Amino acid sequence: MTDVATSDFRQPRSNVRLDTILRLRWLAALGQLVAIFVVAQGLEFDVPIVPCVCIIAFSALLNLGLQIAFNPMQRLEPPHAAALLALNIVELAALLYFTGGLQNPFSFLFLAPVLISATVLPVRLTIALGCLAVACASALFFYHLPLPWDADDPLVLPPIYLLGVWLSILLAIGVTSLYAFQVTEEARQLSDALAATELVLTREQHLTQLDGLAAAAAHELGTPLSTIFLISRELEKTVHDPNLAGDLKTLREQAQRCRDILSKIAQLSSTGAPFDNMKLSTLIEEAVAPHRDFGVNIKVRLAVAATPEPIGARNPAILYGVGNILENAVDFAHQSVEVNAWWNAETVEIVISDDGPGIAPDMLKRIGEPYLSRRRGADEAQNARGGLGLGVFIARTLLQRTGAKVSFTNRVFPDHGAVAQIVWPRERFEGTAPDGESAS
């Protein structure tokens, strides 16, 4: 039961489609055109219509050219997507220059391209776009044409107010972009980790299904091998050529050998002990066996109960989950690991504990999140448990799918070490199939 390498499942950010960027640009151009029309015709303010319409026309022509020259469904490389978003910022800054600068309430639209970048582009490009937006807002603080307003009653905003607008734009870009990036990154990590969980479960299920394939092969191949054996034996009796008789003897012996092998496979599959159902003690021993030769003493204790020992279906999800948690215990144990199990008529419980450094307090409540890891380095004091990342997430997810509740704690002082508790309702443990539904 080995941990799953993080790099095997963490996928790079998916590139945004050209069509998505173009739709946003068309929406921006349409909104800008409507805003200018309403201000100029509806409110009858003096707006420099010609330069504003030229800027919007340039944006529209560029969109049209991109749609003709390229397939809108193709995915853009991050630098190309960032370039289009940067162009959005520059076009917005140019429009704001002719319509009042930061006095224009639409100046907060600087936030939109940076927010989009935070969800789909690498961090360095998002930071670059954020710096560009801040630079444009800073330039508009000093350089801009007057805000279109009633000539008889002009609106004059104090510099301290404009400074507050500039600062609010700066904070909005930083805070909302950081929040969007964090939410998107967590969703991406969860998606990748769930994909890894499904892959691990599929592999384990394939291993479990091998015994059924072996039994089917033994059944299907038994008849033709018996025919080959009988014909070769009869031919051996009638043929007088020593060389040919020797070949027939070899053929008969090899056919008999194949029959013996298939017979053993069929008998092994029909017993049901290692393949179909297994006792709780057998499950624990199978999970413990691969970790007994690593210099750590593993003690297994089964509590004596009045009810019979639970017997459940051989479930790869349970085997992988228990095995992975046990592997973490062995990795961080100093000398020993204890595996205690008990049951009654309602519940089945396995508790795995070690005498290692335990789990760091800041990680204790977050165990089970994907990619949560604190590997120990040469310069890091070995007083905090590390490496509780994707492997534990997969183990916990698989066990919860079988109806188990998994919790992690530390031993009570003066003892030290981590404790993992796995508890099933007994009916779920004894009736769980490999593809059982997740526990609620």
Tab-separated table of all heavy atoms in Angstrom, residues 251-278:
chain	number	residue	atom	x	y	z
A	251	LEU	N	4.090	-34.115	-25.080
A	251	LEU	CA	2.847	-33.374	-25.252
A	251	LEU	C	1.836	-33.770	-24.184
A	251	LEU	O	1.163	-32.911	-23.599
A	251	LEU	CB	2.295	-33.633	-26.647
A	251	LEU	CG	0.954	-32.967	-26.979
A	251	LEU	CD1	1.084	-31.443	-26.926
A	251	LEU	CD2	0.467	-33.406	-28.367
A	252	ARG	N	1.743	-35.077	-23.915
A	252	ARG	CA	0.788	-35.534	-22.896
A	252	ARG	C	1.174	-35.019	-21.511
A	252	ARG	O	0.311	-34.580	-20.733
A	252	ARG	CB	0.747	-37.068	-22.902
A	252	ARG	CG	-0.136	-37.664	-21.805
A	252	ARG	CD	-0.181	-39.170	-21.901
A	252	ARG	NE	1.154	-39.775	-21.852
A	252	ARG	CZ	1.831	-39.996	-20.706
A	252	ARG	NH1	1.309	-39.645	-19.536
A	252	ARG	NH2	3.018	-40.570	-20.745
A	253	GLU	N	2.459	-35.041	-21.187
A	253	GLU	CA	2.901	-34.582	-19.868
A	253	GLU	C	2.651	-33.094	-19.687
A	253	GLU	O	2.235	-32.641	-18.611
A	253	GLU	CB	4.391	-34.902	-19.684
A	253	GLU	CG	4.679	-36.393	-19.565
A	253	GLU	CD	6.174	-36.672	-19.532
A	253	GLU	OE1	6.962	-35.717	-19.812
A	253	GLU	OE2	6.564	-37.814	-19.218
A	254	GLN	N	2.897	-32.300	-20.723
A	254	GLN	CA	2.678	-30.856	-20.614
A	254	GLN	C	1.186	-30.529	-20.522
A	254	GLN	O	0.782	-29.600	-19.806
A	254	GLN	CB	3.313	-30.143	-21.812
A	254	GLN	CG	4.837	-30.228	-21.857
A	254	GLN	CD	5.469	-29.652	-20.604
A	254	GLN	OE1	5.094	-28.584	-20.144
A	254	GLN	NE2	6.423	-30.379	-20.033
A	255	ALA	N	0.362	-31.288	-21.259
A	255	ALA	CA	-1.082	-31.093	-21.155
A	255	ALA	C	-1.571	-31.417	-19.749
A	255	ALA	O	-2.424	-30.712	-19.187
A	255	ALA	CB	-1.808	-31.953	-22.188
A	256	GLN	N	-1.014	-32.527	-19.163
A	256	GLN	CA	-1.393	-32.866	-17.794
A	256	GLN	C	-0.937	-31.793	-16.805
A	256	GLN	O	-1.645	-31.471	-15.852
A	256	GLN	CB	-0.765	-34.218	-17.426
A	256	GLN	CG	-1.104	-34.693	-16.017
A	256	GLN	CD	-2.600	-34.882	-15.824
A	256	GLN	OE1	-3.293	-35.390	-16.715
A	256	GLN	NE2	-3.113	-34.475	-14.665
A	257	ARG	N	0.236	-31.231	-17.081
A	257	ARG	CA	0.737	-30.160	-16.206
A	257	ARG	C	-0.191	-28.941	-16.248
A	257	ARG	O	-0.494	-28.342	-15.207
A	257	ARG	CB	2.144	-29.770	-16.644
A	257	ARG	CG	2.786	-28.694	-15.772
A	257	ARG	CD	4.154	-28.319	-16.307
A	257	ARG	NE	4.731	-27.242	-15.537
A	257	ARG	CZ	5.859	-26.594	-15.839
A	257	ARG	NH1	6.521	-26.951	-16.948
A	257	ARG	NH2	6.299	-25.615	-15.090
A	258	CYS	N	-0.654	-28.582	-17.448
A	258	CYS	CA	-1.594	-27.462	-17.567
A	258	CYS	C	-2.896	-27.758	-16.840
A	258	CYS	O	-3.475	-26.882	-16.185
A	258	CYS	CB	-1.873	-27.172	-19.039
A	258	CYS	SG	-0.480	-26.481	-19.943
A	259	ARG	N	-3.363	-29.018	-16.935
A	259	ARG	CA	-4.599	-29.390	-16.233
A	259	ARG	C	-4.418	-29.263	-14.723
A	259	ARG	O	-5.331	-28.802	-14.021
A	259	ARG	CB	-4.987	-30.819	-16.600
A	259	ARG	CG	-5.433	-30.991	-18.052
A	259	ARG	CD	-5.725	-32.457	-18.343
A	259	ARG	NE	-6.841	-32.949	-17.558
A	259	ARG	CZ	-7.156	-34.236	-17.427
A	259	ARG	NH1	-6.423	-35.165	-18.041
A	259	ARG	NH2	-8.197	-34.606	-16.716
A	260	ASP	N	-3.247	-29.670	-14.217
A	260	ASP	CA	-2.992	-29.567	-12.773
A	260	ASP	C	-2.967	-28.110	-12.310
A	260	ASP	O	-3.521	-27.757	-11.255
A	260	ASP	CB	-1.663	-30.231	-12.433
A	260	ASP	CG	-1.705	-31.739	-12.667
A	260	ASP	OD1	-2.823	-32.297	-12.711
A	260	ASP	OD2	-0.622	-32.344	-12.819
A	261	ILE	N	-2.331	-27.246	-13.119
A	261	ILE	CA	-2.259	-25.827	-12.753
A	261	ILE	C	-3.654	-25.208	-12.726
A	261	ILE	O	-4.030	-24.496	-11.786
A	261	ILE	CB	-1.344	-25.068	-13.730
A	261	ILE	CG1	0.112	-25.534	-13.574
A	261	ILE	CG2	-1.438	-23.559	-13.512
A	261	ILE	CD1	1.052	-24.952	-14.609
A	262	LEU	N	-4.446	-25.494	-13.761
A	262	LEU	CA	-5.794	-24.941	-13.816
A	262	LEU	C	-6.669	-25.499	-12.709
A	262	LEU	O	-7.543	-24.804	-12.176
A	262	LEU	CB	-6.421	-25.221	-15.176
A	262	LEU	CG	-5.790	-24.485	-16.366
A	262	LEU	CD1	-6.466	-24.897	-17.666
A	262	LEU	CD2	-5.899	-22.980	-16.176
A	263	SER	N	-6.415	-26.738	-12.322
A	263	SER	CA	-7.175	-27.334	-11.225
A	263	SER	C	-6.886	-26.609	-9.910
A	263	SER	O	-7.790	-26.343	-9.116
A	263	SER	CB	-6.840	-28.818	-11.103
A	263	SER	OG	-7.508	-29.384	-10.000
A	264	LYS	N	-5.611	-26.273	-9.685
A	264	LYS	CA	-5.252	-25.535	-8.467
A	264	LYS	C	-5.890	-24.152	-8.452
A	264	LYS	O	-6.376	-23.693	-7.418
A	264	LYS	CB	-3.734	-25.413	-8.367
A	264	LYS	CG	-3.022	-26.737	-8.101
A	264	LYS	CD	-1.511	-26.531	-8.041
A	264	LYS	CE	-0.799	-27.851	-7.796
A	264	LYS	NZ	0.687	-27.683	-7.748
A	265	ILE	N	-5.885	-23.501	-9.619
A	265	ILE	CA	-6.493	-22.168	-9.692
A	265	ILE	C	-7.984	-22.249	-9.403
A	265	ILE	O	-8.551	-21.434	-8.666
A	265	ILE	CB	-6.239	-21.538	-11.077
A	265	ILE	CG1	-4.752	-21.239	-11.257
A	265	ILE	CG2	-7.056	-20.268	-11.254
A	265	ILE	CD1	-4.397	-20.707	-12.627
A	266	ALA	N	-8.641	-23.241	-9.977
A	266	ALA	CA	-10.081	-23.392	-9.755
A	266	ALA	C	-10.384	-23.687	-8.297
A	266	ALA	O	-11.329	-23.149	-7.720
A	266	ALA	CB	-10.629	-24.502	-10.647
A	267	GLN	N	-9.559	-24.546	-7.658
A	267	GLN	CA	-9.769	-24.856	-6.247
A	267	GLN	C	-9.542	-23.631	-5.377
A	267	GLN	O	-10.273	-23.371	-4.423
A	267	GLN	CB	-8.835	-25.989	-5.827
A	267	GLN	CG	-9.172	-27.332	-6.450
A	267	GLN	CD	-8.156	-28.400	-6.089
A	267	GLN	OE1	-7.197	-28.140	-5.361
A	267	GLN	NE2	-8.358	-29.605	-6.606
A	268	LEU	N	-8.501	-22.835	-5.714
A	268	LEU	CA	-8.207	-21.640	-4.934
A	268	LEU	C	-9.339	-20.629	-5.040
A	268	LEU	O	-9.741	-20.005	-4.065
A	268	LEU	CB	-6.897	-21.008	-5.428
A	268	LEU	CG	-6.376	-19.788	-4.657
A	268	LEU	CD1	-6.066	-20.154	-3.214
A	268	LEU	CD2	-5.157	-19.214	-5.342
A	269	SER	N	-9.892	-20.465	-6.247
A	269	SER	CA	-10.966	-19.497	-6.436
A	269	SER	C	-12.255	-19.958	-5.791
A	269	SER	O	-13.056	-19.148	-5.345
A	269	SER	CB	-11.187	-19.254	-7.929
A	269	SER	OG	-10.028	-18.713	-8.515
A	270	SER	N	-12.456	-21.286	-5.732
A	270	SER	CA	-13.718	-21.789	-5.196
A	270	SER	C	-13.760	-21.779	-3.686
A	270	SER	O	-14.821	-21.887	-3.096
A	270	SER	CB	-13.959	-23.220	-5.704
A	270	SER	OG	-12.942	-24.096	-5.217
A	271	THR	N	-12.585	-21.670	-3.027
A	271	THR	CA	-12.592	-21.689	-1.571
A	271	THR	C	-13.276	-20.460	-1.019
A	271	THR	O	-13.905	-20.500	0.029
A	271	THR	CB	-11.159	-21.769	-1.035
A	271	THR	OG1	-10.431	-20.642	-1.522
A	271	THR	CG2	-10.480	-23.046	-1.505
A	272	GLY	N	-13.077	-19.300	-1.684
A	272	GLY	CA	-13.735	-18.075	-1.258
A	272	GLY	C	-13.028	-17.365	-0.135
A	272	GLY	O	-13.316	-16.214	0.141
A	273	ALA	N	-12.071	-17.995	0.566
A	273	ALA	CA	-11.431	-17.360	1.708
A	273	ALA	C	-10.646	-16.124	1.333
A	273	ALA	O	-10.860	-15.061	1.903
A	273	ALA	CB	-10.539	-18.373	2.425
A	274	PRO	N	-9.726	-16.219	0.356
A	274	PRO	CA	-8.952	-15.023	0.057
A	274	PRO	C	-9.599	-14.108	-0.965
A	274	PRO	O	-9.123	-13.019	-1.179
A	274	PRO	CB	-7.643	-15.602	-0.499
A	274	PRO	CG	-8.050	-16.866	-1.161
A	274	PRO	CD	-9.204	-17.405	-0.363
A	275	PHE	N	-10.687	-14.547	-1.603
A	275	PHE	CA	-11.195	-13.764	-2.716
A	275	PHE	C	-12.576	-13.186	-2.477
A	275	PHE	O	-12.864	-12.079	-2.899
A	275	PHE	CB	-11.225	-14.611	-3.989
A	275	PHE	CG	-9.861	-15.007	-4.465
A	275	PHE	CD1	-9.420	-16.307	-4.320
A	275	PHE	CD2	-9.024	-14.073	-5.038
A	275	PHE	CE1	-8.155	-16.667	-4.764
A	275	PHE	CE2	-7.764	-14.427	-5.480
A	275	PHE	CZ	-7.330	-15.728	-5.339
A	276	ASP	N	-13.467	-13.942	-1.853
A	276	ASP	CA	-14.849	-13.511	-1.761
A	276	ASP	C	-15.138	-12.786	-0.449
A	276	ASP	O	-15.490	-11.618	-0.442
A	276	ASP	CB	-15.791	-14.710	-1.912
A	276	ASP	CG	-15.631	-15.373	-3.277
A	276	ASP	OD1	-15.307	-14.662	-4.237
A	276	ASP	OD2	-15.824	-16.603	-3.367
A	277	ASN	N	-15.010	-13.479	0.665
A	277	ASN	CA	-15.292	-12.904	1.976
A	277	ASN	C	-14.082	-13.100	2.880
A	277	ASN	O	-13.307	-14.041	2.716
A	277	ASN	CB	-16.523	-13.566	2.612
A	277	ASN	CG	-17.780	-13.312	1.791
A	277	ASN	OD1	-18.134	-12.172	1.520
A	277	ASN	ND2	-18.448	-14.386	1.386
A	278	MET	N	-13.939	-12.206	3.832
A	278	MET	CA	-12.808	-12.311	4.744
A	278	MET	C	-13.215	-11.795	6.116
A	278	MET	O	-13.958	-10.821	6.236
A	278	MET	CB	-11.594	-11.542	4.198
A	278	MET	CG	-11.828	-10.090	3.911
A	278	MET	SD	-10.557	-9.325	2.872
A	278	MET	CE	-9.062	-9.992	3.509
